[in-house]
Amino acid sequence: MRLLFEQALRFGAVGIVNSAIGLACIWTAMLVGVHPLPANALGFGVGLTVSFVLNRCWTFQDKDEAARRFPWTATAPRFAGAFAVAWTLNATILWAAISFTTVSPYAAQIAGVAAYSVTFFVLCRVWVFTVGNAESRVATKLRWGQVLGRVALCAPLAAALAYLASKASNVSVADVDFKYLWFAGHLWAEGTSPYGAHYLERATVYFVDTNVPIWMVYPPNWYPLARALAILPLDVAERLWGALSAIMLLASSALMARTVWSVRERDDIWPFVAFGTFICMGSATAIALSLGQTAPLMAVGL
């Protein structure tokens, strides 16, 4: 289980780099008039080579000398095949969101990327890099039926991530709960306490044509977080907080899976898939993300 989470963290780090590059390419292409689907293909194509090199040499690296000598040419075709499967799922979600929902194409891109990332990680771990990963003791030859079966088990998690992205993007965080915390940090930055009647007075002037923060609802120990977020403009801070909240919720599911399944001997990914699916399908999760609440951070703390 420890190896699984180490690999997941490494894969996530690589994914953050690739996602940042890919999404930048995608949105840039869309801004100049390229259709979302070709733009999506362009963004993934840019990061594919970098992803293979980093995942091969770092994420799924092996300490066994014989495994390190395993030729790159043997894993590259598998990597390309895994990418094709994951990207097809991503494109399908993107197409369905654009064709049958009113979700913003930009939010739909995020849902597609989430489904792509989960599927790609599972395929890389159980099929692409198993030949050179002696530490995991996985068979070097895995039947396609097993691969497809595991992908099918990941489908609910991919669908849950897509659902969560679409639900959480329907409400602007800056218009609801998040502004309470951000505005408190804004006052703290000025050397003013957010506790008292002046909080409402200042908020009434600061916020126009939207709900007004009435009083500071968080205890003083939220100062470091509120102060850090207040450095950024409200619209930027809300996007950052939403992304961090989603990461914290997935981290919570991973920690719960590791705790509950710590008595098992198998290094199994499926408890995380189950917990992740459950959390992402919950309406409370979508509400916490869409309104900018602090429940995800408290879940990690718990």
Side-chain angles (χ1 to χ4, degrees), residues 53-281:
V53 172
L54 291 179
N55 283 311
R56 174 68 173 81
C57 298
W58 183 52
T59 304
F60 300 98
Q61 68 176 336
D62 189 47
K63 299 178 181 179
D64 184 80
E65 184 178 353
R68 287 199 298 269
R69 292 199 300 266
F70 193 78
W72 289 44
T73 53
T75 52
R78 295 186 178 198
F79 187 83
F83 169 79
V85 172
W87 185 84
T88 299
L89 177 61
N90 155 76
T92 301
I93 291 175
L94 177 61
W95 169 80
I98 294 174
S99 302
F100 302 109
T101 71
T102 58
V103 174
S104 165
Y106 295 91
Q109 295 281 7
I110 296 176
V113 168
Y116 160 88
S117 299
V118 173
T119 305
F120 201 16
F121 173 73
V122 173
L123 286 176
C124 284
R125 188 172 189 277
V126 304
W127 182 55
V128 177
F129 297 109
T130 54
V131 177
N133 194 348
E135 184 179 353
S136 65
R137 300 293 186 263
V138 180
T140 60
K141 191 173 183 180
L142 196 62
R143 293 187 180 90
W144 271 104
Q146 292 175 286
V147 174
L148 294 176
R150 295 191 177 194
V151 172
L153 288 174
C154 287
L157 177 57
L161 287 169
Y163 161 82
L164 181 59
S166 64
K167 295 292 287 185
S169 62
N170 286 337
V171 179
S172 174
V173 175
D175 288 338
V176 201
D177 293 355
F178 177 74
K179 63 170 55 176
Y180 281 77
L181 184 62
W182 181 88
F183 188 63
H186 186 71
L187 293 180
W188 265 319
E190 298 177 353
T192 303
S193 170
Y195 300 98
H198 57 278
Y199 182 85
L200 176 60
E201 295 173 0
R202 290 287 303 278
T204 303
V205 177
Y206 197 92
F207 297 98
V208 181
D209 297 330
T210 182
N211 75 309
V212 178
I214 301 174
W215 56 75
M216 177 56 168
V217 295
Y218 299 99
N221 58 290
W222 284 90
Y223 169 83
L225 180 61
R227 180 66 184 84
L229 290 170
I231 296 175
L232 303 171
L234 180 57
D235 58 339
V236 176
E238 72 162 306
R239 293 188 182 94
L240 175 62
W241 181 246
L244 291 175
S245 295
I247 292 172
M248 287 187 290
L249 285 168
L250 289 176
S252 299
S253 70
L255 291 171
M256 285 189 287
R258 182 173 183 177
T259 301
V260 175
W261 266 265
S262 60
V263 295
R264 290 167 59 100
E265 295 181 358
R266 294 179 57 194
D267 185 21
D268 205 341
I269 192 176
W270 306 119
F272 167 72
V273 173
F275 272 100
T277 302
F278 172 76
I279 287 179
C280 292
M281 284 297 291

